[in-house]
Amino acid sequence: MQTLSLWGKLSASPTVLVFFFAIREPKTKVQNRMSRIRLLPDIVASQVAAGEVVERPASVVKELIENSIDAGARKIEITIHRGGMSLVRVIDDGCGMDRDDALLSLERHATSKIRSAADLQAVGTLGFRGEALPSITSVSRFRLTTREPNAIAGTEIIVNGGKIDIVRDGGEAPGTQIEVRSLFYNLPARRKFLRSENTESRNIEHQIHLQAIGHPHIAFTLLRDGRLIFQLPATATLGDRIRDLYSVELLERLIQLNGAATRKIQISGFIGQAGLSRQTRAQQLIFVNGRAIESGIITAAIREGYHTALMRGQYPVTFLFLDLDPAAVDVNVHPAKREVRFRDPTAVREAVIRCIQQALESRRTEWQEKFRAPHAAPEPVGTAAKIPSAPHRELPHFQADSGDSGHRSAGFVPPLPVMPGSVAVVGDHGRVQQTIASAEAAPQQFQIIGVLNKLYVLMENADGLVLVDQHAAHERILFEDLRRRMEEQGVPAQKLLLPQTFDLPPRDADWIERNMSTLQKMGIGIESFGPNTFKIDSVPAFLNVSDATQFMRKVTDDLKGASNSSSAMRLGEEVIAKTVCRHAVKANDPLRYPEVEKLIRDLLNCDLPYCCPHGRPTMIQISLAELEKKFGRKT
Ligand code: ADP
Ligand code: MG
């Protein structure tokens, strides 16, 4: 307290200030007694704190941008040189500071954002610890210029390694400009931990992406080594910001979340539609009350929400914004404020899962449009005659061994484009244009061209060509069918001729005991038969199980890891997902036309038709525009 009241008087004179810093280093009685315990000098204490707050140049950028945002900036310009190691400069047009505040801002635990411990319960700003500036100044060459909007002059302060060297009038525009040079110049050990300039630059860019996505109404500019990396205008919506920062193409593949999830937790933003994923977590952005955070709970919930819509080893793309009562979130967990603690983590988890599931399923109708034949949309069913592609055209005969293209003489024009490789016979009596009544009120029309390589169903729609992977499609259909049956009355079981008994190690046995009822619902007739011994007398009818004991060992192995925390339902789904694959139409099973047609119709009626239970896409679209490009008709 004493320190604070002194500041007002002392700040006018820089020389006194330097002196003041010197006497603040505690030459206390404690030290005179040669005690073993000493109070650390302030600069050292700041450097210790800096270890946690300022890990790398990206943390400097993060803290400075957060300060600018808290200061109400509408425009933030960031300049970095050599991965931020030689320079980080952040200029904002926020509220600025007067001289006293500017000096005070460099003190440890000096903040304008909270006043009491009670305020910690509901922090409404990004900063609140009062640690960033002193931490940064203690490990760099630091220059601050700041000016309040109506002030005649601003203030410039230069600090080197935590020691204030210059305080004078400055003449910059209103707002605050902070320059951090030679980061960690006085901490060689820390400097050694820095990565290459490129890596550090990328980390910085990631930080700026987070802030830019979190605050679309603020304009951001990034200059890297003299090059303009991006200049984002202030926008009204998150969608616009995503478009400006990434691309329209990305935005088009996102699903907008509808806002409310529960009364207590609102979830908004965008998530990638099924099939859109990345190899890293770099585009999995999560915000809680406007703060970009990392959260194991939410990451796991996102994964769970995507469940079968995500390929193994891939990460979803999310711009997920959770808003909840500030008192229900503790942000004071980590010095870098990267993590938060939820008062009710289960509620958060469930809200996220539900929200993602609903969003993915909401895409279904839109997706079904992809199957609509090019000319089918506006006409009622009876007007097929108007459709240019003659409805009575027969499906083409393709020989399975048509790879021998030498048979085709120069004069022969195939009825339909023939792809390289073998083409399966689809059937010879199917109509090209089929009308089917799907679960939806309006009838759906789709147009099958043929089957390529006994695997890919080729279809035509208004956008161009659609390819459906018949194996993946069948997996999805079986998966949803079995899941529905499991929910309703259980999966049909097939009795074994001879019941078998088998032993398992105690842990596996325990797992089976705990999940017995789910396994039974799955059509696995299993019961205890003494300690660690089981009897199995039936297996799921849809499976081709030759050795029931072997099958059970495998199921236990596959699933015991996956199901620790999840529900019985989920366990069942895992059993199905792991096993349908073996049962589904194989890649090279030739299907006849009615079968292909049924496959497509069934797929259209699935909850998540666009991917197989392992998250691989069931369908890809090649647009006419893409074809035109490939054929050099359009550049
Ligand atoms: P915190 O942000 O946790 O309060 P900091 O050390 O980051 O702590 O900043 C200390 C104080 O300095 C802030 O509380 C704020 O009042 C002031 N400050 C920092 N940066 C700016 C800025 N760009 N514009 C206006 N005020 C700022
Ligand atoms: Mg701060």
Side-chain angles (χ1 to χ4, degrees), residues 63 67 113 127 132:
E63 294 294 340
N67 281 345
K113 299 169 193 174

Side-chain angles (χ1 to χ4, degrees), residues 462-476:
D463 279 348
L465 184 65
V466 183
L467 291 127
V468 178
D469 179 326
Q470 66 176 40
H471 178 61
H474 195 211
E475 275 187 336
R476 166 53 67 181

Side-chain angles (χ1 to χ4, degrees), residues 63-64 66-72 90 92 94-97 101-102 104-107 109-114 125-136 144 146 175-178 337:
E63 294 294 340
L64 295 183
E66 285 189 351
N67 281 345
S68 297
I69 294 170
D70 284 344
V90 174
D92 70 51
C95 64
M97 289 176 272
D101 275 350
L104 204 49
S105 74
L106 308 178
E107 275 288 287
H109 311 304
T111 179
S112 56
K113 299 169 193 174
I114 56 168
T125 47
L126 295 171
F128 59 91
R129 298 173 62 102
E131 277 181 334
L133 293 187
S135 298
I136 296 168
L144 161 80
T146 184
T176 302
Q177 165 168 347
I178 290 179
K337 300 160 289 177

Side-chain angles (χ1 to χ4, degrees), residues 361-368 440 604-607 609:
E361 288 179 13
S362 74
R363 261 299 155 97
R364 221 184 82 184
T365 7
E366 239 163 281
W367 186 84
Q368 289 175 339
E440 258 64 78
L604 279 168
N605 285 323
C606 285
D607 288 336

Side-chain angles (χ1 to χ4, degrees), residues 259-512:
T262 65
R263 203 164 42 80
K264 287 193 179 136
I265 306 165
Q266 262 93 52
I267 305 180
S268 58
F270 290 84
I271 64 163
Q273 63 190 36
L276 177 67
S277 60
R278 301 279 185 254
Q279 256 139 25
T280 69
R281 211 169 268 161
Q283 252 178 14
Q284 190 174 326
L285 279 47
I286 303 165
F287 300 81
V288 171
N289 291 349
R291 181 191 303 279
I293 55 139
E294 286 162 21
S295 159
I297 290 173
I298 298 180
T299 314
I302 291 175
R303 203 151 254 292
E304 179 83 12
Y306 271 88
H307 185 39
T308 62
L310 198 65
M311 268 190 265
R312 187 170 291 257
Q314 293 282 94
Y315 297 91
V317 174
T318 67
F319 302 94
L320 201 66
F321 287 73
L322 272 74
D323 282 286
L324 50 164
D325 177 3
V329 198
D330 185 0
V331 288
N332 191 20
V333 178
H334 193 277
K337 300 160 289 177
R338 263 201 307 262
E339 286 157 33
V340 297
R341 207 172 283 137
F342 296 107
R343 209 203 281 152
D344 187 354
T346 314
V348 171
R349 183 186 137 80
E350 274 161 15
V352 171
I353 295 175
R354 197 163 343 105
C355 175
I356 290 189
Q357 284 173 342
Q358 282 170 0
L360 290 174
E361 288 179 13
S362 74
R363 261 299 155 97
R364 221 184 82 184
T365 7
E366 239 163 281
W367 186 84
Q368 289 175 339
E369 278 299 302
K370 294 250 187 246
F371 280 92
R372 202 183 279 281
H375 310 287
E379 277 94 357
V381 187
T383 59
K386 282 195 214 142
I387 296 167
S389 51
H392 296 296
R393 202 172 61 184
E394 300 283 296
L395 262 189
H397 280 271
F398 291 140
Q399 294 308 320
D401 58 354
S402 70
D404 182 10
S405 54
H407 283 308
R408 270 178 236 121
S409 63
F412 177 74
V413 182
L416 286 159
V418 177
M419 310 289 176
S422 64
V423 181
V425 178
V426 172
D428 50 9
H429 47 267
R431 300 244 165 107
V432 171
Q433 183 90 26
Q434 287 286 327
T435 304
I436 60 148
S438 75
E440 258 64 78
Q444 281 258 346
Q445 291 185 299
F446 56 76
Q447 186 167 324
I448 297 171
I449 303 171
V451 177
L452 172 66
N453 210 22
K454 296 185 204 157
L455 175 56
Y456 303 110
V457 181
L458 305 181
M459 297 171 68
E460 187 183 347
N461 71 355
D463 279 348
L465 184 65
V466 183
L467 291 127
V468 178
D469 179 326
Q470 66 176 40
H471 178 61
H474 195 211
E475 275 187 336
R476 166 53 67 181
I477 296 163
L478 275 180
F479 175 78
E480 293 201 3
D481 180 41
L482 288 170
R483 187 176 56 186
R484 205 170 307 121
R485 281 203 253 167
M486 181 177 72
E487 276 168 53
E488 286 161 8
Q489 75 272 17
V491 172
Q494 164 129 42
K495 281 267 172 237
L496 297 175
L497 286 178
L498 288 173
Q500 296 182 15
T501 56
F502 60 97
D503 298 326
L504 285 176
R507 277 224 208 145
D508 292 358
D510 178 54
W511 181 86
I512 293 209

